Amino acid sequence: MSTADDPAPPAVRRRPRDRKAQIVKASGEAFSALGYHAVSMEEIAARVGISAAALYRHASSKYVLFRDAVLGLGQQLVESTDIADGDRDPATLLTELIEAVVDTSIANRTSGGMYRWEGRYLNDEDRAALKSQIGLVNRRLQKPLLQLRPELTSHERWMLSSAALSVTGSVTDHRASLPVAEIRELLTGLASAVLTATLPAQFDEPEPEPLAPNNLSVGGRYELLLQESLLLFHKKGFRETSMEDIAAAVGMKASGIYRYFPGKADLLVASYRRSADRVSGDVSSVLAAESDPEQALAKLIDLYVTRSFREPEIAYVYYAERGNIPEAERAPIRNIQRATVDEWARLLAAARPEFSHAQATFAVHAALALVVDLGRLVRYENSGHSRACVRLLMEMTLLGREPHLV
């Protein structure tokens, strides 16, 4: 029999019932924010509030956590579109499917970037599983679309459904702010507009002029290092690319690179600055020549698509390798990028008075991300037809229609 002087029994610590869900959420947010290679088990454990040893009792490795988080996001998209099964009014079903995908993207806004840009680190089997998940979601969107628009070819349906998913997923690529209900309505409207696009028919075009040979002067070597490093960052990833890889691609010793760049990160920073400056320069030149906001947007879209298809590595690396930019360099680059998006948004809000500046900012982010996603879909085939399709879908995303050009 115990007395008042007896010590109290130790409190029993119970594992939260949702511990697994907490771990999946924390790991997804960490991988999305920092990139696969920059995340450690200790980082994830700290986010959950447990020790690394406790985390290892739930998962044998970082890769297992990564795989579960990525495929878990894919499965959420699949489950959210289960409503596609059964007979429904196609117009109603299409709207409900878009809303379901938008809701899933918003719910995973802080971790969705992982599946969009870090999925390349999955092994072959898991990458195939992710591809299967996303393919199923595309086909579910296409089911009512086929009923509503039977004239569409299979390629056109895939391009439209992929564009709609890109628009809805773009919310994971930035941190602009709007009330959730407003984001939901806006993204649903943008994706719906994309699905109404009438894509241009195939057309013949003249053979492109051959590229000039690389100049191996001092200035040419600098440019060649930038170009080859970008190609490797795009193909292998920043972390997997070594200075020796870059040197071999250029045909020089690794030690020779240090005459031009202090380190690998400096090559990445130089590429980001170059890209940001070019897009910013396009804005300045267009605004100097064009006062009408709709006409200015149309010209900016054309320039952006042309650049993206000419140098697809830049656009992809921009999204996929942001976490590898040194902290000291992030703010200046981010400021240039934000200023550029802000100018696009200002033009869009002037062309579409129903949009606030904040809403226009979301639309601009959606349109810019769409170029990368669709470029990957068509494997950046730099043809007039591919560029015309992507250009039109950017216009539909921003304006809800083709621009009235003069």
Side-chain angles (χ1 to χ4, degrees):
M1 180 176 176
S2 63
T3 67
D5 294 329
D6 291 335
V12 178
R13 297 186 63 184
R14 301 186 184 278
R15 180 184 301 173
R17 292 182 179 180
D18 64 343
R19 176 69 82 205
K20 183 175 181 180
Q22 289 179 357
I23 291 172
V24 170
K25 182 176 185 293
S27 58
E29 290 175 349
F31 290 128
S32 185
L34 303 173
Y36 175 70
H37 289 286
V39 174
S40 65
M41 293 290 275
E42 289 74 16
E43 166 74 24
I44 297 171
R47 287 173 179 252
V48 180
I50 60 177
S51 67
L55 182 60
Y56 275 107
R57 289 197 289 271
H58 291 272
S60 59
S61 67
K62 181 175 76 168
Y63 180 80
V64 170
L65 289 173
F66 176 66
R67 178 201 64 202
D68 290 349
V70 175
L71 296 183
L73 280 171
Q75 186 60 30
Q76 285 187 55
L77 286 170
V78 169
E79 292 174 357
S80 73
T81 56
D82 281 343
I83 56 174
D85 298 331
D87 294 327
R88 307 278 297 283
D89 170 67
T92 301
L93 175 58
L94 188 58
T95 298
E96 291 177 354
L97 285 169
I98 294 170
E99 289 174 344
V101 172
V102 168
D103 287 343
T104 303
S105 297
I106 294 173
N108 294 282
R109 188 175 184 186
T110 56
S111 58
M114 171 188 55
Y115 113 81
R116 284 168 65 77
W117 308 113
E118 297 294 302
R120 58 190 166 149
Y121 295 120
L122 293 171
N123 64 33
D124 291 344
E125 180 181 355
D126 294 330
R127 192 181 305 116
L130 177 62
K131 183 178 179 180
S132 177
Q133 290 173 330
I134 303 307
L136 177 57
V137 175
N138 270 281
R139 288 191 295 274
R140 286 174 167 177
L141 282 173
Q142 292 171 28
K143 179 182 176 182
L145 188 62
L146 177 60
Q147 294 176 273
L148 294 167
R149 303 187 62 187
E151 77 282 0
L152 293 174
T153 66
S154 175
H155 177 74
E156 289 170 336
R157 289 195 303 274
W158 275 96
M159 182 161 278
L160 293 181
S161 65
S162 298
L165 288 178
S166 177
V167 166
T168 59
S170 67
V171 71
T172 67
D173 294 329
H174 62 91
R175 294 295 172 261
S177 180
L178 274 177
V180 170
E182 205 168 326
I183 297 174
R184 186 176 191 265
E185 181 180 0
L186 176 65
L187 291 180
T188 300
L190 298 180
S192 297
V194 160
L195 291 173
T196 67
T198 300
L199 297 174
Q202 287 279 359
F203 57 86
D204 295 327
E205 59 181 327
E207 288 291 325
E209 295 184 6
L211 295 175
N214 286 316
N215 179 5
L216 295 182
S217 64
V218 173
R221 184 76 73 176
Y222 178 93
E223 296 296 332
L224 194 56
L225 282 166
L226 278 178
Q227 175 63 21
E228 293 300 328
S229 63
L230 261 179
L231 291 173
L232 287 166
F233 296 156
H234 178 243
K235 180 180 179 181
K236 300 178 63 174
F238 176 80
R239 296 274 178 161
E240 288 73 25
T241 300
S242 67
M243 293 293 266
E244 288 74 18
D245 292 332
I246 298 169
V250 177
M252 63 188 297
K253 293 182 178 179
S255 58
I257 299 177
Y258 297 101
R259 294 173 55 197
Y260 306 92
F261 298 95
K264 185 173 68 170
D266 298 281
L267 281 158
L268 184 63
V269 169
S271 299
Y272 267 69
R273 285 187 174 275
R274 176 72 58 82
S275 175
D277 286 341
R278 285 176 177 174
V279 177
S280 176
D282 287 342
V283 172
S284 298
S285 62
V286 167
L287 291 180
E290 182 59 69
S291 59
D292 180 80
E294 186 173 328
Q295 306 296 314
L297 272 176
K299 291 180 179 179
L300 286 174
I301 289 170
D302 184 60
L303 287 169
Y304 192 81
V305 171
T306 299
R307 284 194 187 282
S308 296
F309 274 76
R310 183 186 299 152
E311 300 175 299
E313 300 81 18
I314 291 180
Y316 181 82
V317 168
Y318 161 74
Y319 282 100
E321 303 293 355
R322 285 176 289 187
N324 290 309
I325 294 291
E327 188 66 37
E329 299 288 347
R330 291 180 187 177
I333 294 173
R334 191 161 50 238
N335 288 339
I336 297 172
Q337 294 164 340
R338 283 178 176 172
T340 300
V341 170
D342 191 65
E343 282 296 330
W344 279 60
R346 184 184 64 79
L347 290 169
L348 180 56
R352 297 187 70 173
E354 71 272 23
F355 278 2
S356 67
H357 186 85
Q359 291 171 329
T361 298
F362 272 76
V364 169
H365 279 293
L368 297 178
L370 180 147
V371 179
V372 182
D373 288 329
L374 291 186
R376 292 159 71 188
L377 177 69
V378 300
R379 299 179 181 178
Y380 283 103
E381 176 194 6
N382 195 8
S383 67
H385 180 254
S386 292
R387 294 193 303 273
C389 287
V390 175
R391 187 165 55 242
L392 172 64
L393 290 169
M394 278 192 83
E395 292 164 352
M396 295 297 294
T397 301
L398 293 173
L399 298 169
R401 54 171 172 75
E402 293 186 61
H404 302 304
L405 299 178
V406 296

